[in-house]
Every structure is written in structure tokens, then in C-alpha cells.
Amino acid sequence: MKNPKRLGGRWIWVWFILLSLFIGLVLALFSGSLQIKRNIHADASLDDFRGYMDERIPALMKLYQIPGCSIALVRDHEIEWTESFGYADVEKGRILTTDVPMSVQSITKSVTAWGVMKLVEKGLIDLDAPLSVYLKSWKFPENDYPVEKVTIRRLLNHSAGLPLGDFTDTYAPGEEMPSLREKLTQEAILLREPGAGFSYSNVGYNLLELLIEEVTGQSFAEYMRSEVLLPLGMERAAFAVDETMAQYPPTGYTLDGKPVPVYLYPTKASGGLFATVEDIARFAAADMQENPVLRAESVRLMYAPESEVRKIGIYGLVFDAYGLGHCTETLPNGALSVAHGGQGNGIMTHFQAVPKTGDAFVILTNSQRSWPFISYLLSDWAQWRSFPSVGMRRIIWGQYVLSAVIGMLVSASLLIVLSLGLSFARQKRTGIRIFRIGCALLLLGTLIWAACQKYLFISSVFPVLSGWLGGAVFVFAIFLFISALIPCRSHIQNVRS
């Protein structure tokens, strides 16, 4: 005869798995992670794709509470469609249009890389020379690692060992702010040996801003406008804004929907560019064909994965490698794709291009809740263009996984409640009780820590599900703690006897 206790234990696991799947599926449906929609076919016309997107984009914007979005489609190296949806400022009722310049955040790095490569082509700098060779009016602060190993190439591919930098240090247009050199003196402190590996760094690109100014004798904004932006037709793109502009940039919106007035960084090269969606589309198109700024071999060099950057950390979840100012990946059809995204307080942007086919897609939004939104749009575009998917699609897969995790936490919480009145709770020895209390306190401590953070990566990537996850972890931790404190039935019977 089979052991009843073992049989009961098996049924508990069966119920746990089934309940987890059911709750996860329901959550995925209600949160929008699992969507029932018609697909866009690869043989659909441009008009069909536009019609599909005209329905798809507003629906996703509503789901993720995104106030405004501008998109641009490049096909065969030509801009074939630009359109804006929603509001530049919800409170003022200001409609977002395609001629409104937006902060493109870290897409700026790809544009800055062009400016640096232009100096390489002119023979004014060497990619593998130490940065310090070209600096005359500024020196690195005292560092624990050799600054002579900080080369221009390593700054471009984020392997110079520099920190991310303080991206929360922002200022209103017209407000007094620190100079570029002051910021670099504060932040250009090496955290590791240059060349030791990938470490995404705004500070590194701000050093490139100083390099350009030192070598050219021009301000970074002037040089970039004359040598890169205007030759590429990016006429509305600029590194400064003021309130007299005919089309003022949009207000940004945080994860919880709070408005963020337009702001500037003290530095420009890492994330200070303002541009229209058409400007970025022109840049993406130039990235894939002959252009008046760079030779083809220079562009190919920016796309080539760097030997010192074999692993790119968390970015490796959606990209394969990092070149010079560009994220790269190999698509399922074998084609190379280049991209860069941007994220700031209240802003999220992305461009993706496939040089071989001349395709590109640009998405600019004024909401920090936009990563799933961008992922869905890129997936639809890739399906239509027969790629058939891009790495950013993994954010959608991540939503499925997170829904399953939440389902397991809710199921485990329900089973703990049921176990308090059932016989299989009898085995609660002192060691198990202590273990449960420790796990509960650890989970509650993690939640408190997360609540105190100004920025959480998981909240940005999963703006809807992260709240559900926090609630599920809290409930599970509380029930786990209570289950450890309540005496088991066998103990109570022993006391009575």
C-alpha cells in the first residue's frame, strides 16, 4: 500500500503547479502581457501596416499609460512614414506632433560616436591613443588605475573602467549648472582596470565631449551641428533648448505618472541631444548607406563587436554585443542589426536598424513606462519586415516569466493558508520555523529597500507587473512569517494531553 503522506505531498505539488499556471495566465491576460490580437503579415502593404499601427499604438499607450509617442519608419533607406500619437503635455492639452523635438537621451551616444569618428577620419585623433594625449586644459583626478590605458576606443565601447555617472543631476533650461570640466573632475574616477570589460558609462562619453572641444577648439554643440547634424539633414536637432522655441519639447512622465518638466544635463555627449523623430530617422538611414559625413569603412567599424567587450552585462539580455556607440545583434535570419535606446527621468527612446535591408524603426516617448510598449512595436515591425524578431522581444517573454513567478507566489500563499489547518503542517520543527522566519524577514527587507530606491530596473522594464510582484512578495512573506509562529496541531495536542 502506498504511503498516504507521500501521496498527499504529490497532490500538493500538482495543485501548486496547476494553480500557479492558472493565476499566472489570468494575470498575464489582465495585465496585458498576454495579448489576443491579429498579426501583421510579412506580405502586408505599407498602408496595411499603418492601419494596423494606428489601432495598435493607441491601445498599447492606454494599457501602459503613455501620454505621447512619435514613430518613424525607414524602408529601403528612405523615410516612408512618421506619425505622432497623444500629448506632449497632458495638463495643458498640448498635442504631440512629429515636428516637436524630444530628448532622445542615450541615442545621443550613437550620434556622438559619429562626431568622434569624423575626427579619426581627418587624422586628428587615433582610436587607440590615450585620451590624455589630447587633453590640454584638464587632467584626470587622482585614480587607483592607470589613466594612460583610457583610450578613445575604450571610451566609445564602454570598456574604460569608468562609472555610470549621476544621471539625476539635471537642471531647468536657463538655470546655472556645473561646467563640463567640473563634472568630469567629480566623476571621472576609474572603478576598474581600463580594458578589463564592459561597464556602461555616461562619464566616458562626456570625456569624449571634452576631447572634441580640445581637439577642434569649438564647443561640442557647435562642432556636432556643423559636422554631423546639418550634413545629415537633422535640421531641428540641437543640444540646447529654450522657452522661445516654436515647438517646445514635451513634458516627461515618471513610472507613477508624475509630470517632469523639460530638463538639461550639465554634459551633452552622453544624453543631451534634442531631436524630432524625423531627425533620428535620418540618422538611422544615414547609418546604413553612403552619407556626407563618414566613409563606409568607418560606419562598419562602429558596428563591429569589440574584442574587449565580449560580455555586456544586463544589456546582453536583448543585444549580442556593443561596438562603437552602437548595440549590435544578429537577427534570426542572419542579418546584422544595430540599435541604441535611451532612458531618462520621464523619457524613453529607441532606434533599431538593419543595414543590409535599409530598414529602421524609431520610437520616442515621453514616459518611463515605455519598455514593454517599445518591445511590442519593434516585434510587430520585425514580423512585418520578415526578420522575424529582435532581441527587445525578450522583454515580452520576461513578462510571461514574471507572470508565472507572481502566480507561484500567490499559489504558495494560498497553500500556506490551507496548510495551517491541515495535517501536513505537523512537521514544523524548530529549524524549519527559524528558516521560514528568516526567509520572510529577508523578503520584507528587500521590499523595504526597493521602496527606498529612486530607480529600480525591474520597475522600469515591467511597469505594470512590478507592482503585482511587490504585492505578491509582501503577502507571501507575511503568510510565511505567520505560519512559522502559529504552533502546529500536533504540538497543541501534546500540550492538551
Side-chain angles (χ1 to χ4, degrees):
M1 184 175 178
K2 292 185 179 180
N3 189 326
K5 187 178 292 186
R6 181 179 299 177
L7 189 61
R10 288 177 181 175
W11 275 109
I12 290 298
W13 282 108
V14 170
W15 278 109
F16 172 73
I17 293 171
L18 291 176
L19 192 59
S20 297
L21 289 174
F22 175 75
I23 294 173
L25 179 61
V26 171
L27 178 63
L29 284 169
F30 277 93
S31 67
S33 302
L34 183 61
Q35 298 186 9
I36 301 173
K37 63 178 183 65
R38 67 182 180 93
N39 291 325
I40 185 71
H41 299 291
D43 57 353
S45 66
L46 175 60
D47 287 340
D48 288 340
F49 181 70
R50 290 180 60 175
Y52 174 84
M53 283 295 184
D54 282 339
E55 295 179 4
R56 179 86 159 132
I57 291 175
L60 288 172
M61 288 174 66
K62 182 178 180 181
L63 174 64
Y64 291 105
Q65 301 172 26
I66 297 169
C69 162
S70 289
I71 65 166
L73 173 72
V74 176
R75 192 168 61 158
D76 297 327
H77 307 289
E78 299 290 337
I79 301 174
E80 293 203 338
W81 178 39
T82 62
E83 191 166 345
S84 291
F85 301 81
Y87 293 92
D89 190 300
V90 175
E91 290 74 16
K92 296 178 181 178
R94 185 158 63 99
I95 301 297
L96 182 63
T97 57
T98 56
D99 58 351
V100 171
M102 300 179 68
S103 170
V104 300
Q105 296 293 324
S106 285
I107 288 178
T108 306
K109 292 181 176 68
S110 298
V111 181
T112 295
W114 273 58
V116 174
M117 293 304 294
K118 183 70 174 179
L119 296 180
V120 174
E121 284 193 356
K122 289 182 176 182
L124 296 176
I125 60 174
D126 185 323
L127 275 177
D128 296 307
L131 173 70
S132 55
V133 170
Y134 302 101
L135 303 183
K136 303 177 181 65
S137 64
W138 181 87
K139 291 184 178 180
F140 277 96
E142 186 176 344
N143 274 279
D144 294 333
Y145 299 97
V147 297
E148 296 78 16
K149 291 187 177 182
V150 177
T151 65
I152 296 164
R153 184 188 298 274
R154 285 172 175 164
L155 291 172
L156 285 168
N157 67 26
H158 297 290
S159 66
L162 288 156
L164 174 63
D166 183 7
F167 56 85
T168 65
D169 186 21
T170 60
Y171 300 82
E175 184 180 0
E176 186 177 351
M177 64 181 74
S179 69
L180 169 63
R181 287 164 177 78
E182 288 172 337
K183 285 294 293 181
L184 290 175
T185 299
Q186 295 171 7
E187 297 185 341
I189 309 295
L190 296 176
L191 300 180
R192 61 195 299 190
E193 183 85 13
F198 179 89
S199 181
Y200 191 83
S201 174
N202 292 320
V203 179
Y205 270 74
N206 296 332
L207 282 167
L208 293 172
E209 178 180 343
L210 179 62
L211 167 73
I212 287 174
E213 293 189 343
E214 293 272 271
V215 170
T216 66
Q218 297 176 270
S219 72
F220 175 78
E222 290 172 349
Y223 168 81
M224 292 298 295
R225 183 163 178 79
S226 63
E227 297 293 329
V228 179
L229 303 181
L230 289 181
L232 294 182
M234 301 170 67
E235 296 180 357
R236 293 189 180 91
F239 287 93
V241 297
D242 61 69
E243 295 180 355
T244 64
M245 295 175 65
Q247 296 289 349
Y248 198 63
T251 297
Y253 291 87
T254 63
L255 284 169
D256 53 4
K258 294 180 180 178
V260 180
V262 175
Y263 57 84
L264 301 175
Y265 296 111
T267 53
K268 299 178 177 66
S270 60
L273 181 65
F274 289 81
T276 66
V277 70
E278 185 174 327
D279 287 328
I280 301 303
R282 290 185 185 281
F283 174 74
D287 240 1
M288 303 184 289
Q289 61 182 335
E290 291 187 10
N291 64 82
V293 177
L294 294 178
R295 295 192 293 266
E297 54 266 34
S298 296
V299 176
R300 285 196 293 270
L301 182 60
M302 288 191 289
Y303 295 167
E306 289 289 297
S307 59
E308 289 185 340
V309 188
R310 292 184 176 87
K311 296 181 180 179
I312 57 173
I314 198 166
Y315 300 93
L317 295 174
V318 292
F319 298 111
D320 297 333
Y322 199 94
L324 303 180
H326 294 72
C327 301
T328 68
E329 63 176 299
T330 301
L331 301 178
N333 64 356
L336 171 71
S337 179
V338 296
H340 214 297
Q343 179 184 192
N345 190 17
I347 299 291
M348 199 164 284
T349 64
H350 191 90
F351 86 89
Q352 187 107 17
V354 184
K356 182 178 180 180
T357 62
D359 285 286
F361 202 48
V362 182
I363 307 167
L364 309 180
T365 78
N366 62 341
S367 172
Q368 240 174 308
R369 301 174 62 87
S370 299
W371 265 7
F373 172 77
I374 290 171
S375 179
Y376 279 117
L377 295 190
L378 286 172
S379 296
D380 290 339
W381 165 71
Q383 183 180 14
W384 177 56
R385 297 304 294 150
S386 302
F387 295 144
S389 68
V390 294
M392 287 287 285
R393 180 175 174 79
R394 291 170 193 148
I395 292 176
I396 301 174
W397 300 346
Q399 290 189 128
Y400 301 154
V401 173
L402 199 56
S403 295
V405 169
I406 296 170
M408 287 189 288
L409 287 169
V410 174
S411 297
S413 300
L414 293 174
L415 291 175
I416 287 174
V417 173
L418 291 174
S419 73
L420 295 176
L422 297 176
S423 60
F424 62 80
R426 290 179 179 175
Q427 79 282 5
K428 290 191 298 183
R429 296 184 295 272
T430 301
I432 295 176
R433 288 170 179 270
I434 294 174
F435 177 74
R436 289 189 179 189
I437 290 173
C439 289
L441 292 177
L442 178 62
L443 290 173
L444 291 172
T446 301
L447 287 178
I448 293 171
W449 172 85
C452 295
Q453 301 304 303
K454 291 183 178 179
Y455 172 80
L456 276 178
F457 180 76
I458 192 170
S459 298
S460 183
V461 179
F462 306 110
V464 175
L465 289 176
S466 58
W468 287 84
L469 177 64
V473 170
F474 177 78
V475 170
F476 175 71
I478 293 297
F479 285 151
L480 192 65
F481 188 80
I482 292 173
S483 72
L485 296 180
I486 295 178
C488 62
R489 181 182 296 176
S490 59
H491 175 71
I492 294 173
Q493 290 173 344
N494 291 333
V495 171
R496 287 176 178 174
S497 63

